[in-house]
Amino acid sequence: MIFSWFKIFKIPIVCVVVSSYLNFYDKREKKFKSHGDVKVRYLEPIETKGMSIDQVNQLLGEVQSRMQSEYDKLNEEIQLEKKYYDESLPVSYTDLA
């Protein structure tokens, strides 16, 4: 749905990706520790001008792939072990369609 809005209003999609917070979050106690590292990065805007509604699903896959790749890079940069974030992706980006 939201991707259709970008198409209808002909505005670029600007994705913001945030690294995992699980390096300083205690799942059992459901609380954050006093310190930890999080990185935030925005991606290059993705133009929607000239796209047909049929191209929205393709766009969705492209956006999800770019965001996942950047998420993995950010977690490597903060030296987060992959075991922390493999099981914890908060939302499937395809749920946003």
Side-chain angles (χ1 to χ4, degrees), residues 4 11 15-16 20 26 28 42 44 52 54 62 70 78 80 84:
S4 297
I11 56 175
C15 300
V16 178
S20 177
D26 187 325
R28 258 183 308 122
Y42 69 91
E44 289 292 321
S52 69
D54 295 334
E62 180 184 330
E70 197 61 37
I78 63 169
L80 182 69
Y84 285 115

Side-chain angles (χ1 to χ4, degrees), residues 19-35:
S19 67
S20 177
Y21 53 79
L22 292 179
N23 58 338
F24 59 95
Y25 180 72
D26 187 325
K27 279 182 167 179
R28 258 183 308 122
E29 294 185 28
K30 297 183 179 180
K31 5 180 193 181
F32 289 94
K33 298 174 189 173
S34 61
H35 64 280

Side-chain angles (χ1 to χ4, degrees), residues 70-82:
E70 197 61 37
Y71 181 76
D72 293 340
K73 287 178 193 173
L74 289 174
N75 288 328
E76 286 176 19
E77 289 175 19
I78 63 169
Q79 299 177 341
L80 182 69
E81 293 181 43
K82 198 164 175 72

Side-chain angles (χ1 to χ4, degrees), residues 11-15 43-48 51 59 62-63 66:
I11 56 175
I13 298 170
V14 179
C15 300
L43 305 181
E44 289 292 321
I46 300 169
E47 286 298 329
T48 59
M51 289 188 134
L59 176 64
E62 180 184 330
V63 169
R66 286 185 188 185

